[in-house]
Amino acid sequence: MSVVVAHCRAGFEPEAAADLAAVAAAAGTTVEVDAPPGRGYVVATPRTFDAQRWPRALDAAPPVFVRSLFFGTGPHALFADDTAARGRPDRVAPLAALLAAFRRDCRQPGIGVRHRAAAVFGELRMETADTNDGKELSGLCRRLELPLAGELLADGALAEHDDADTPTVLPALHVLFAHGAEVCIGVSAPPWGSRWAMGIPRLRMPRGAPSRSTLKLAEAIQAFLGDQAGDLLRGGMKAVDLGAAPGGWTWQLVQRGLRVTAVDNGPLKGEVAEDPLVTHLRVDGLTYVPRRPVDWMVCDIVDQPSRIAALVARWIAEGHARGTIFNLKLPMKKRYDEMLRCRAIIDDALARSRLRHRLQLRQLYHDREEVTGIVLRTG
Ligand code: SAM
């Protein structure tokens, strides 16, 4: 492995680079990061790469502005010279050769690939940057996917989905097109690898939800709670939604059967406004506290991020809620520093209260100049 490749929101390359520098420090090394502004992904070259230490470092210093990452090699030119890349040259053969060499390179236990003669992958992810330039390459990716997957299957590199002996969670093989003649290739595996190609969940705007913000909470639930979502957010629980109007987040909670106090001076719209599980309070969300503790507090109030960080810390520390999902708006220039400041506010407040907790911040696919966070009491 010679590079770590990370997808991010276009424009957030410096923040993704800072994330990777922090992970590298946790892995006991340093990185040089190629992060041109607006490209939508960054390529970090670590001074040393230890396949055991990097996954642990990702757990110790989880990146915030990275949507998805893989360990790999590249960038690789697919053709010896530029002229060969014109028209529709055969890309499958040079790609298959690159991947075959890579398979031998990635028989390392730390990255989810067990000791075998050569690695077996659970899926092939053909990727581009999530930018306009990237979208122009998506047709090429689609055209190449089937023949390349055919080659990998014939080689035994890709698991047959109906193979009962194959562990269900196998690493993913990534092919990221920088342009039509250049790729980075690599591997990712749970828990540090994204469950979605390019870190982009395929979520449809649900009919009946009053705002597109609903997708932010839907993604946060999947990204942070994963398979535990059904247990941790279920019928009979109580939630408070601060800054609820027009009701997209409340709608998500009600769909899961939670009883919701929706706090906002603005009106709720659509079916949530009439839902018997919803109580709408026109009061200040920054000072409201429930009379009895609730299971969840969610907050999408547009305000200074440090004020929201202090608010969510207070709710958990004072026992008003057991868990919270919240959004921190980061319209300022020094947004990485601001994110660190907010994280410290929450961690410090909960450490003072001696509360064991899990705090995670992530810029989700549906987040713009903002990050979404979760705090859950543990133990
Ligand atoms: N999550 C909502 C949804 O999915 O539809 C969208 C929330 S919107 C981004 C922010 C909301 O916060 C606005 O409706 C605004 O009225 C509300 N807000 C701002 N300051 C507030 C405060 N101090 N207390 C309660 N609500 C507030």
Side-chain angles (χ1 to χ4, degrees):
M1 302 294 150
S2 55
V3 291
V4 177
V5 180
H7 289 274
C8 63
R9 186 174 189 85
F12 283 78
E13 294 79 9
E15 286 76 14
D19 271 336
L20 292 187
V23 180
T29 187
T30 55
V31 277
E32 273 184 30
V33 190
D34 178 40
R39 188 172 68 177
Y41 68 93
V42 301
V43 180
T45 307
R47 191 168 44 81
T48 55
F49 181 84
D50 179 330
Q52 306 271 7
R53 292 183 85 174
W54 271 80
R56 286 204 297 269
L58 282 164
D59 186 44
V64 176
F65 293 92
V66 167
R67 286 182 185 165
S68 153
L69 63 72
F70 60 82
F71 304 146
T73 61
H76 301 279
L78 290 181
F79 308 106
D81 62 70
D82 285 354
T83 46
R86 296 207 188 110
R88 280 202 179 190
D90 174 24
R91 288 177 171 85
V92 176
L95 273 172
L98 273 175
L99 296 178
F102 180 70
R103 273 183 82 199
R104 292 189 290 275
D105 195 24
C106 69
R107 273 177 297 134
Q108 299 174 55
I111 48 179
V113 180
R114 305 272 166 253
H115 292 285
R116 297 179 188 230
V120 178
F121 300 97
E123 62 174 307
L124 170 65
R125 294 184 179 176
M126 303 292 284
E127 303 182 334
T128 65
D130 178 31
T131 59
N132 289 338
D133 286 350
K135 284 191 185 91
E136 285 183 13
L137 291 166
S138 52
L140 174 69
C141 285
R142 275 196 299 277
R143 277 202 305 281
L144 292 175
E145 185 167 1
L146 215 56
L148 200 54
E151 296 266 338
L152 292 166
L153 274 169
D155 253 8
L158 203 56
E160 306 260 7
H161 281 298
D162 54 1
D163 182 352
D165 293 334
T166 308
T168 46
V169 186
L170 284 171
L173 179 61
H174 298 249
V175 176
L176 167 63
F177 274 86
H179 55 73
E182 194 176 276
V183 293
C184 287
I185 58 178
V187 58
S188 72
W192 53 269
S194 173
R195 50 171 62 199
W196 305 298
M198 295 159 61
I200 302 180
R202 304 279 161 208
L203 295 177
R204 284 233 190 102
M205 176 64 195
R207 258 207 256 160
S211 65
R212 284 198 68 77
S213 292
T214 201
L215 294 175
K216 251 191 295 185
L217 186 59
E219 182 182 353
I221 290 169
Q222 288 195 22
F224 292 135
L225 303 180
D227 298 338
Q228 289 182 298
D231 276 345
L232 293 173
L233 280 169
R234 57 176 192 275
M237 286 185 161
K238 291 200 176 96
V240 171
D241 181 358
L242 301 178
W249 286 29
T250 292
W251 188 89
Q252 286 291 335
L253 298 170
V254 163
Q255 292 305 301
R256 292 174 175 270
L258 280 82
R259 189 171 286 281
V260 184
T261 303
V263 178
D264 202 307
N265 274 318
L268 299 180
K269 292 198 178 134
E271 58 196 48
V272 276
E274 312 294 330
D275 197 298
L277 287 176
V278 178
T279 306
H280 183 190
L281 293 184
R282 291 179 187 271
V283 296
D284 183 2
L286 298 176
T287 52
Y288 169 82
V289 283
R291 257 189 249 135
R292 294 214 177 84
V294 295
D295 300 285
W296 285 94
M297 181 273 270
V298 298
C299 177
D300 194 21
I301 291 177
V302 182
D303 204 320
Q304 285 175 30
S306 54
R307 192 177 293 172
I308 301 300
L311 174 85
V312 301
R314 203 165 58 241
W315 269 70
I316 300 297
E318 292 176 2
H320 300 304
R322 192 173 166 77
T324 171
I325 295 177
F326 55 95
N327 194 268
L328 301 175
K329 317 291 171 188
L330 299 172
M332 62 288 294
K333 273 209 174 114
K334 295 196 166 180
R335 45 202 181 191
Y336 198 80
D337 291 347
E338 189 63 27
M339 177 280 293
L340 291 177
R341 192 156 85 95
C342 291
R343 196 157 69 184
I345 288 171
I346 299 170
D347 273 334
D348 291 351
L350 295 182
R352 274 197 305 277
S353 307
R354 297 178 186 281
L355 283 181
R356 300 229 323 242
H357 66 283
R358 165 184 151 207
L359 163 63
Q360 238 180 304
L361 296 173
R362 284 268 305 276
Q363 187 178 41
L364 303 174
Y365 171 67
H366 290 93
D367 283 333
R368 291 169 177 266
E369 291 199 312
E370 57 201 334
V371 295
T372 299
I374 184 167
V375 181
L376 256 185
R377 277 180 66 167
T378 54

